[in-house]
Amino acid sequence: MKKNNFWLYFALFIITIIGGFLRLYKITQNPPSLTGDEISFGYSAYSILKTGRDEYGKFMPLVFQSVGDYKNPVPAYLMVPSIKIFGLNDFAIRFPNALLGTISIPIFFFFLLDILKNKRIALLGSIFLSLSAWHIFYSRFSYETLMASLFVLLGIWGFIKMFNGNLVWAFVSAFFFTLTMYTAFAPRLFIPAFILGVLIVNIRNVKKNLRNLSVFAFTCLILGLPLLYVTLFQGAGTRLQMVLISNDIEFSRHILLKYFNSISDLPMLFFFWLKRYISYLNPGLLFFNGLDATQPNPIGLGVLYIFEIPFFIAGIIEFIKNKIPNKNIFIVWALTGILPDSLTNNQQHAGRLLHLFPLLIMISAMGAISIYHQLKKVKIKLVRTIYFLLYSIFILIVLIHAYLIIWVNFPRDKSESFDEGWREAVQYMIVNQDKYKEIVIDPARGIDGPNMISNPFLYVLFYTKYDPLTYQDEKKIYSESSDYYFEFNKYTFRHINWPADKNSKETLFIGSPWSLAKENLNDGELLEIINLTNGSPAFYIVTPK
Amino acid sequence: MLPMLPYYTSKNLFLAELLGQNLHISKIFYLFLVLVNTYLIWLISKKLLNKKFAFLSVATILFSPWFYYLAVGHSFYFLLLFPTLLIILGLIEIFQTQSKTINLLLVTGSLLSIYSSALFIPLLLILFITLIYSKIISLNKLKLSLILIFILSLPLLFLISKNSIGFTNSLRQEAKIFVDPGLINSINRYRGAAEANNYKFFSRVSENKYLFYSEYIFLKYVSQLVPETYFTPKYKLLSYAFNPPIFAGFTIPMFYGLYLALKKPNLRKLLFVSTILVIPSVISKDMVSLNRLVLFSPVVFLVISYGLSNLYQKRNALVAKYFLILTSILVLFQIVVVLFDFKAHEQQRFESYFGKNYELSEP
């Protein structure tokens, strides 16, 4: 190893350690609670570990039915070894994601080094990724699109190498691209669009690489066939139908002024989609508040930091001006990367854009290097130093703001949407459940109203470490109607109707203040109050006297 | 407000009394203004682009809903576009010739604008200083015109000195960027949360109003320059329409034109300077005011025309050909869709926004 390279790799090691620290530090405390998705993945993984089957008794499934949203298999299977090592707890659930987020840093470095052949850009890119609030935020809880983003990076890297003539990379690329599709939903649209786009813009190279491409296509087909099967025949396509843009409220309520229900509305849908698509160049999303980590606020955290704006602009100019290897592949990456999120019925979502992180951060790093070169041209050293110092101070201020948002504002503002309170409520229940014949838990909650419906049975299964084999085999009662009702063992999950329920002796009730209003409770009935980080009551734990 | 241009559309105009239909006069005036402004943009295109392709800017305007909506909505800023275009035309003439004589277009445009809107006094100052400082136009070439503008604006300056409160109020009316308490509330919320967690010092450093106001101004500035503002109905024309200011198909030549312009240092510099014209929209209450942003529209139309003309010149290349075909298909398709949508939904959208008793068309 050359001396120069030693320091380069040493720097990379330090950057990775810092990145790992930022992703793992107090990971179980912030975000403040496991989300419904994390809990569901976690218990499925636990069930697989103990029985080889999911909670519905399906042997090693390729799609997890979960609560009817048919989840992807990779996140659950990645949790299996983690649960084996650390046990069934919050850390074990979040660890695989944080680990993949951390590993992304050196992999991104080597990707940049290999593709751009520029050590400075590679190193700066890895620093930006290591400190990226966007990447850190989604690394700190189990988030399938973050996992997929690493596989996308590896797949595209392999794809570029394959185009340069190496057959082995055809297998590598095909493997990671397919793995990506087993990991998250967004890449299922992105990957085919990306491959098609690259083939179109590289049509001249297709003939030269026909052998590699055939191997690539064949490998993809073989590895992807099971996914195709479960998508078509085992409900894995359900999620896709649920989130399609045609169900968007803005589209139906404000544009069509009725529900989308005929082919004649398709042209309007097309232009609505186009609006969504073009909107991804929104500076708010990119730099100011795209992360949605606080209450609605013009100045929050974006996909990139505010101090990266000049870098990003300079990077785009550099990208346009200079000869960049595989430039057209990067352009196709950008254009197709937006596609999945633009086709969904929700607001723009920074998380669903994670497979674009290598591209955005690469441009930012290129721009920073370009600005550095411009700065070096300033002849007076003092002026140069002042520029440098002032901008460094600005960067520091922005990083402090980011720290405060993630560690102070986010837990206060968003804890409710992260289902905070269930863990504490269930832990109280575990300690006291022997005193009661029945435990009734209301799934509806919310500060402003009982508008959020969770799946508390998953929290009960998870935190009680409920034996998966028992759960798979035992009798469960659930409602076929739209009313939430689910019952197993002595746990019942339904809406609490206190005037009627207050006569149920030896029963423990867990519900929000909306279903268990304080003024309706007699002295001694209220056993415990579970608060959110911001102090609002999330749950009351009550037993009739 | 310092009304000069609006005066001509007011109900006191003798022609209005003659016809007895004030709103019709106003309508005719605005339709006439669409033609005049389009003609001026065509003249600018002729001077900046290849003469053969100057018609492209006119075609882009004619195929874009922006001017029509603002004309129907009797936008004051659409009126101000006229003197703005005169100023741009004058500056181009000065830029392209060696003459140091007075440029009447520049003088007329400047006087019309500053006598019409208080905002144009600082705006023109910024524009001239930037042009001279960035060495796009030398002070020598501008000197005589600037002196004449100064002399002819003396009555206005005298009036301002007599009624400084009125002038300040007028400026305040135009600069409403900080009237929304949302931003200051958000700063207070951040500060409160941080202080409750013993981060008072860090919060004071990174979450103070000076920093947030600067960031907010920057956010607004950048928001004026992104494609979604022009090619999508994100910011609604007249607050209710679904039609974008410019049809989405023109994004392709826009990006191409921008790509070519950014490659050339001189054009890059000109583009950056031209963004001064977004200031009126930046200081408005809304994130983007399409009403005010119309002052920047000539730049957008020119970039689109630049992209279109270059695509046409390279039409033998496969990619250029595809881009041209795609642009044409998208624009034509959107025209058809807009026409049908206009008939089916426009009235309903208008009513749901303004209420049924409000009419825009007939007096």
Side-chain angles (χ1 to χ4, degrees):
Chain A
M1 193 187 290
K2 287 179 189 172
K3 199 182 173 187
N4 275 353
N5 282 350
F6 169 78
W7 286 112
L8 183 74
Y9 295 129
F10 181 70
L12 177 66
F13 175 72
I14 298 295
I15 292 163
T16 309
I17 294 292
I18 293 170
F21 174 76
L22 293 171
R23 282 155 183 79
L24 281 160
Y25 176 68
K26 291 190 178 176
I27 193 174
T28 55
Q29 292 174 29
N30 188 10
S33 172
L34 292 186
T35 63
D37 281 347
E38 286 180 293
I39 278 285
S40 171
F41 274 131
Y43 191 72
S44 297
Y46 182 64
S47 185
I48 293 282
L49 178 71
K50 294 286 177 188
T51 67
R53 295 171 187 276
D54 71 358
E55 61 269 37
Y56 293 91
K58 252 189 177 173
F59 180 72
M60 302 295 272
L62 278 176
V63 57
F64 286 87
Q65 187 179 334
S66 183
V67 287
D69 54 353
Y70 294 91
K71 289 186 166 58
N72 286 299
V74 171
Y77 284 112
L78 280 177
M79 284 174 194
V80 172
S82 178
I83 293 170
K84 177 78 182 163
I85 297 166
F86 302 110
L88 185 63
N89 55 46
D90 294 16
F91 182 80
I93 302 308
R94 288 182 171 170
F95 178 72
N97 202 50
L99 185 69
L100 289 182
T102 309
I103 290 173
S104 299
I105 299 166
I107 289 178
F108 181 51
F109 169 85
F110 288 113
F111 167 77
L112 290 179
L113 193 65
D114 185 44
I115 302 296
L116 301 178
K117 314 279 183 229
N118 186 320
K119 287 177 191 170
R120 282 183 177 174
I121 294 178
L123 198 64
L124 197 62
S126 56
I127 292 173
F128 283 173
L129 179 61
S130 167
L131 299 177
S132 161
W134 178 34
H135 203 262
I136 292 169
F137 181 76
Y138 285 105
S139 296
R140 293 181 62 86
F141 59 99
S142 184
Y143 195 71
E144 52 188 26
T145 316
L146 185 118
M147 298 178 186
S149 69
L150 175 62
F151 304 144
V152 166
L153 173 64
L154 290 165
I156 289 178
W157 192 3
F159 199 69
I160 292 171
K161 304 281 276 181
M162 178 193 74
F163 250 89
N164 296 336
N166 197 330
L167 182 67
V168 179
W169 289 99
F171 290 107
V172 174
S173 178
F175 171 75
F176 281 112
F177 275 156
T178 322
L179 186 65
T180 300
M181 293 203 239
Y182 281 99
T183 309
F185 290 100
R188 291 189 193 174
L189 282 168
F190 162 63
I191 298 295
F194 170 79
I195 294 169
L196 194 69
V198 173
L199 294 182
I200 289 170
V201 298
N202 282 301
I203 196 87
R204 283 177 196 154
N205 291 334
V206 168
K207 273 187 186 172
K208 273 196 275 175
N209 286 288
L210 213 55
R211 187 185 62 135
N212 289 1
L213 278 168
S214 308
V215 171
F216 170 80
F218 184 71
T219 316
C220 280
L221 192 73
I222 295 294
L223 295 175
L225 269 178
L227 179 70
L228 195 69
Y229 175 79
V230 295
T231 305
L232 293 176
F233 304 110
Q234 291 187 5
T238 311
R239 174 77 168 261
L240 203 65
Q241 289 162 15
M242 280 158 63
V243 299
L244 263 182
I245 190 173
S246 52
N247 302 325
D248 191 277
I249 288 178
E250 185 195 350
F251 179 63
S252 52
R253 195 174 291 170
H254 301 294
I255 291 159
L256 273 191
L257 306 161
K258 63 179 172 66
Y259 284 108
F260 173 82
N261 60 1
S262 89
I263 294 174
S264 64
D265 295 330
L266 272 177
M268 289 298 282
L269 185 64
F270 172 75
F271 285 106
F272 181 70
W273 165 75
L274 209 57
K275 169 185 176 260
R276 273 278 166 83
Y277 186 85
I278 295 173
S279 299
Y280 282 89
L281 286 172
N282 180 313
L285 171 83
L286 288 177
F287 302 104
F288 291 88
N289 49 26
L291 223 51
D292 196 25
T294 61
Q295 284 179 17
N297 199 324
I299 313 292
L301 275 179
V303 162
L304 300 174
Y305 289 114
I306 295 174
F307 68 75
E308 288 180 87
I309 296 176
F311 301 161
F312 195 71
I313 293 169
I316 289 174
I317 294 171
E318 283 292 298
F319 187 80
I320 290 170
K321 257 177 31 186
N322 297 334
K323 211 175 170 186
I324 309 280
N326 305 294
K327 194 188 259 189
N328 52 16
I329 293 184
F330 287 121
I331 293 171
V332 173
W333 191 351
L335 293 176
T336 52
I338 303 167
L339 209 57
D341 196 30
S342 69
L343 284 168
T344 61
N345 62 13
N346 300 313
Q347 287 292 319
Q348 295 163 324
H349 197 284
R352 285 196 295 263
L353 294 176
L354 273 164
H355 51 266
L356 283 174
F357 87 78
L359 193 65
L360 297 180
I361 293 179
M362 179 189 84
I363 287 177
S364 192
M366 279 168 58
I369 297 288
S370 156
I371 287 176
Y372 171 72
H373 286 305
Q374 295 293 325
L375 204 64
K376 264 172 66 179
K377 286 181 192 163
V378 177
K379 284 174 188 159
I380 306 163
K381 199 181 169 187
L382 181 70
V383 176
R384 214 162 57 205
T385 315
I386 289 172
Y387 272 136
F388 184 77
L389 270 177
L390 283 178
Y391 210 73
S392 301
I393 291 169
F394 178 60
I395 290 174
L396 193 67
I397 287 172
V398 173
L399 290 178
I400 291 172
H401 177 52
Y403 171 82
L404 291 177
I405 284 190
I406 289 186
W407 282 97
V408 176
N409 301 99
F410 166 66
R412 287 172 72 99
D413 292 356
K414 293 285 176 174
S415 60
E416 192 185 15
S417 51
F418 272 75
D419 281 336
E420 189 182 18
W422 282 124
R423 174 178 53 197
E424 292 73 13
V426 173
Q427 278 167 350
Y428 179 92
M429 179 205 83
I430 291 168
V431 175
N432 297 286
Q433 63 180 337
D434 293 341
K435 300 175 200 163
Y436 304 96
K437 278 186 185 163
E438 191 188 3
I439 291 157
V440 177
I441 302 177
D442 193 329
R445 61 178 301 187
I447 297 173
D448 301 322
N451 309 318
M452 299 173 71
I453 306 291
S454 314
N455 287 297
F457 74 93
L458 288 168
Y459 290 86
V460 171
L461 290 172
F462 185 92
Y463 287 110
T464 56
K465 297 188 173 65
Y466 202 85
D467 179 38
L469 202 60
T470 313
Y471 182 71
Q472 286 164 25
D473 295 339
E474 77 184 322
K475 189 185 164 196
K476 296 179 273 286
I477 303 167
Y478 54 88
S479 163
E480 297 274 351
S481 73
S482 57
D483 283 341
Y484 196 110
Y485 189 92
F486 185 57
E487 185 186 330
F488 69 93
N489 200 328
K490 63 175 178 180
Y491 310 110
T492 306
F493 306 89
R494 61 166 172 82
H495 294 294
I496 295 169
N497 178 15
W498 188 244
D501 286 327
K502 65 181 176 188
N503 301 319
S504 311
K505 304 295 176 196
E506 291 183 83
T507 305
L508 186 72
F509 288 92
I510 300 175
S512 75
W514 298 100
S515 44
L516 295 166
K518 250 183 184 172
E519 58 270 22
N520 297 334
L521 303 176
N522 296 323
D523 286 346
E525 286 185 330
L526 181 58
L527 303 173
E528 184 78 15
I529 299 173
I530 309 284
N531 287 328
L532 297 173
T533 306
N534 62 18
S536 307
F539 299 110
Y540 289 162
I541 301 178
V542 170
T543 188
K545 292 281 178 195
Chain B
M1 192 65 59
L2 308 164
M4 182 169 170
L5 280 175
Y7 170 79
Y8 290 102
T9 58
S10 74
K11 59 184 179 182
N12 295 323
L13 198 67
F14 83 96
L15 198 61
E17 281 179 20
L18 198 70
L19 293 173
Q21 300 248 347
N22 303 334
L23 277 172
H24 283 309
I25 284 295
S26 186
K27 259 191 210 174
I28 291 164
F29 178 79
Y30 268 91
L31 286 177
F32 178 67
L33 206 65
V34 171
L35 295 177
V36 171
N37 284 341
T38 310
Y39 174 71
L40 287 174
I41 292 175
W42 179 69
L43 285 180
I44 294 168
S45 308
K46 258 176 74 175
K47 287 183 184 292
L48 288 180
L49 304 174
N50 187 333
K51 278 183 190 169
K52 220 169 97 183
F53 297 111
F55 77 96
L56 285 173
S57 56
V58 177
T60 317
I61 293 167
L62 291 178
F63 283 122
S64 302
W66 202 352
F67 280 15
Y68 303 128
Y69 271 90
L70 293 196
V72 170
H74 291 191
S75 156
F76 173 62
Y77 288 88
F78 191 59
L79 278 170
L80 283 177
L81 180 61
F82 171 65
T84 308
L85 288 169
L86 290 182
I87 294 168
I88 296 172
L89 209 50
L91 287 171
I92 292 169
E93 276 188 1
I94 295 169
F95 178 74
Q96 289 182 338
T97 60
Q98 292 306 314
S99 166
K100 292 173 185 173
T101 54
I102 290 168
N103 186 292
L104 282 178
L105 285 171
L106 178 64
V107 174
T108 315
S110 302
L111 289 172
L112 276 174
S113 57
I114 59 175
Y115 274 89
S116 303
S117 161
L119 183 64
F120 265 75
I121 298 172
L123 196 69
L124 285 186
L125 269 174
I126 296 170
L127 181 68
F128 292 139
I129 291 169
T130 315
L131 284 171
I132 294 162
Y133 181 75
S134 60
K135 294 177 185 163
I136 293 172
I137 297 176
S138 71
L139 178 63
N140 275 343
K141 281 178 163 182
L142 271 179
K143 200 159 55 185
L144 287 177
S145 303
L146 291 184
I147 290 170
L148 187 63
I149 293 168
F150 177 72
I151 292 169
L152 293 177
S153 58
L154 277 175
L156 179 67
L157 297 176
F158 174 72
L159 283 173
I160 289 171
S161 68
K162 293 286 262 181
N163 185 13
S164 59
I165 297 170
F167 176 71
T168 317
N169 283 340
S170 170
L171 270 181
R172 274 195 195 135
Q173 279 298 313
E174 301 231 28
K176 288 186 165 176
I177 180 167
F178 296 125
V179 294
D180 182 5
L183 189 62
I184 198 78
N185 286 344
S186 71
I187 298 168
N188 290 336
R189 214 169 46 227
Y190 277 143
R191 291 286 285 270
E195 284 175 21
N197 284 271
N198 300 321
Y199 287 115
K200 191 174 180 181
F201 172 73
F202 287 131
S203 179
R204 278 177 74 176
V205 168
S206 71
E207 292 173 336
N208 59 67
K209 67 176 179 185
Y210 304 105
L211 199 69
F212 272 36
Y213 280 167
S214 313
E215 287 177 8
Y216 186 59
I217 291 170
F218 193 69
L219 166 65
K220 288 199 73 179
Y221 174 75
V222 185
S223 298
Q224 319 299 318
L225 303 172
V226 290
E228 77 164 344
T229 302
Y230 302 97
F231 303 102
T232 77
K234 164 97 191 249
Y235 306 103
K236 294 181 171 44
L237 282 163
L238 301 183
S239 308
Y240 77 94
F242 178 63
N243 296 319
I246 303 171
F247 284 143
F250 287 118
T251 342
I252 298 163
M254 165 81 182
F255 273 119
Y256 191 62
L258 209 58
Y259 169 78
L260 294 175
L262 287 176
K263 275 172 116 173
K264 297 178 181 170
N266 282 341
L267 282 180
R268 208 153 64 210
K269 203 191 274 185
L270 264 180
L271 273 179
F272 279 117
V273 172
S274 71
T275 61
I276 289 172
L277 293 171
V278 306
I279 290 175
S281 176
V282 170
I283 60 170
S284 72
K285 192 181 165 192
D286 306 319
M287 182 57 76
V288 168
S289 160
L290 289 176
N291 189 16
R292 292 172 177 223
L293 199 58
V294 76
L295 298 177
F296 185 66
S297 66
V299 181
V300 183
F301 287 125
L302 283 170
V303 173
I304 293 171
S305 314
Y306 185 55
L308 266 178
S309 63
N310 276 285
L311 280 174
Y312 184 76
Q313 281 167 312
K314 290 175 188 164
R315 63 189 178 281
N316 290 332
L318 201 63
V319 178
K321 197 188 284 178
Y322 282 145
F323 280 162
L324 272 177
I325 292 170
L326 192 60
T327 305
S328 314
I329 290 172
L330 275 175
V331 171
L332 290 175
F333 181 47
Q334 193 162 14
I335 289 172
V336 174
V337 172
V338 160
L339 287 176
F340 278 100
D341 173 61
F342 202 85
K343 208 175 163 191
H345 302 122
E346 191 78 352
Q347 181 77 25
Q348 268 177 287
R349 281 190 207 118
F350 177 82
E351 283 172 1
S352 66
Y353 184 79
F354 288 107
K356 284 191 178 177
N357 298 324
Y358 195 103
E359 284 193 19
L360 197 69
S361 52
E362 294 298 320

